Amino acid sequence: MSGLRLDIDLDKIGANARHLVDRAAQRGVSITGVTKVLLGEPRLACTLVAAGVTGIGDSRLENIERMRRADVDAPMFLIRSPMPSQIDRVVESNSTSFNTDRDVLAALAASARASGRVHDVVVMVELGDLREGVMPEELQDTVRHVLALPTLRLRGVGTNLACRSGIEPGDENMAELSGLVDSVEETFGIGIDIVSGGNSANLDWLGGTGNVGRVNDLRLGEAIVLGRNPLTRDPIAGLHTDAVTLVAEVIESKRKPTRPRGHSGQSAFGVVADPMGTGG
Ligand SMILES: *Cc1c(COP(=O)(O)O)cnc(C)c1O
């Protein structure tokens, strides 16, 4: 037994979550606690629920199923598009899924019909990060598609920035999201319940903006667990940054020259080591 492990302090994680829940509540925003970083560990989920998050989000259906089996008592959100191979299980998991694709939506509706259920969905819209979401000009047609499927219920609209391309959430893209929600409500004469504005990278915007607009929920993982802003990796004031500790045996500690010696090609990691030894 090498003893290599992570020590996870749930008290610190709970304190972080409570701090962020309170801060967001002052702006009328709820928090969905994201558990994928710890594989949907039920003790993490229960800690977040006790701290006041209104829902649990995870990107892996297996993690959601694990939390359901452990009787975690919270609304669950699959915060990515269901895989076609997992449609029936997604419907059965009684979670709200985030969606970006019409064929997947149709398959969810068919599965829900076959099992006598209604499946809740959030439609994601692409606002510049080029990861998930329908293009803004396709949002209305996607909503029309959902509303035409009686076994689907449209719960919300969301977006996700600062992921693939590191695009920062700010007043401009968040106002665009609010405007899209308003226009969907107007076109279809419906109310959109959840407006999910983003992830931990939205916290600077949330703290500084004069107007959160329609955004009423954020999905937070890294800020809660690591206490850091993912756009800069800087610590977030008021949060613990040491809730997770890697514990390992130290097998060697020696003084060696600062620079390597000899002619250098690629290292084991595919990188050419600094050949001039300039430290740059
Ligand atoms: C992982 C994830 C989050 C949480 O992101 P953090 O930066 O850890 O807060 C939010 N939304 C989606 C869609 C995600 O996949």
Side-chain angles (χ1 to χ4, degrees):
M1 258 291 268
S2 73
L4 179 64
R5 66 177 195 271
L6 289 176
D7 278 353
I8 297 166
D9 186 329
L10 289 174
D11 290 338
K12 287 181 178 172
I13 290 178
N16 282 358
R18 212 165 304 112
H19 182 99
L20 290 164
V21 163
D22 290 346
R23 252 179 68 184
Q26 290 169 11
R27 310 300 312 266
V29 172
S30 62
I31 299 300
T32 297
V34 175
T35 48
K36 67 187 179 207
V37 66
L38 297 181
L39 300 176
E41 164 59 50
R43 284 170 290 182
L44 170 65
C46 291
T47 300
L48 300 182
V49 171
V53 304
T54 50
I56 294 291
D58 205 293
S59 51
R60 298 274 173 259
L61 176 63
E62 293 77 4
N63 296 346
I64 287 177
E65 290 172 337
R66 179 183 179 197
M67 291 184 280
R68 285 275 185 236
R69 278 197 302 276
D71 288 328
V72 173
D73 185 21
M76 298 269 171
F77 294 83
L78 179 64
I79 56 173
R80 52 161 282 182
S81 174
M83 283 189 248
S85 61
Q86 295 186 330
I87 294 285
D88 289 343
R89 282 166 62 193
V90 170
V91 170
E92 203 173 315
S93 74
N94 191 27
S95 56
T96 298
S97 62
F98 281 21
N99 281 270
T100 54
D101 185 89
R102 290 201 205 190
D103 292 340
V104 171
L105 285 160
L108 286 165
S111 176
R113 192 180 330 113
S115 60
R117 295 169 185 262
V118 170
H119 180 69
D120 290 343
V121 298
V122 168
V123 173
M124 296 297 277
V125 59
E126 156 64 46
L127 290 180
D129 202 57
L130 302 182
R131 197 180 83 150
E132 73 229 75
V134 302
M135 294 304 289
E137 57 274 17
E138 292 165 3
L139 180 61
Q140 298 252 351
D141 280 349
T142 308
V143 167
R144 186 174 293 110
H145 179 68
V146 171
L147 296 177
L149 295 165
T151 51
L152 296 186
R153 180 165 48 206
L154 181 65
R155 289 289 313 284
V157 172
T159 198
N160 193 49
L161 298 171
C163 186
R164 181 179 175 276
S165 311
I167 297 301
E168 296 185 10
D171 276 337
E172 207 170 308
N173 40 40
M174 289 298 109
E176 188 179 352
L177 177 64
S178 293
L180 287 165
V181 171
D182 286 341
S183 65
V184 161
E185 289 186 339
E186 209 170 294
T187 302
F188 299 101
I190 56 174
I192 298 290
D193 179 16
I194 301 170
V195 182
S196 190
N199 53 45
S200 296
N202 283 61
L203 287 169
D204 273 354
W205 165 79
L206 182 71
T209 186
N211 182 8
V212 297
R214 295 295 307 273
V215 173
N216 61 15
D217 189 79
L218 293 179
R219 312 173 302 272
L220 302 183
E222 181 162 348
I224 292 174
V225 176
L226 298 181
R228 287 190 318 193
N229 174 346
L231 286 171
T232 58
R233 310 290 170 203
D234 289 333
I236 297 172
L239 301 187
H240 298 283
T241 55
D242 59 350
V244 181
T245 309
L246 174 65
V247 181
E249 289 179 69
V250 176
I251 56 171
E252 174 178 323
S253 173
K254 288 191 178 70
R255 283 189 178 278
K256 288 196 176 178
T258 312
R259 292 176 192 165
R261 187 160 58 89
H263 181 77
S264 49
Q266 286 189 10
S267 73
F269 311 105
V271 182
V272 179
D274 182 12
M276 303 303 286
T278 56

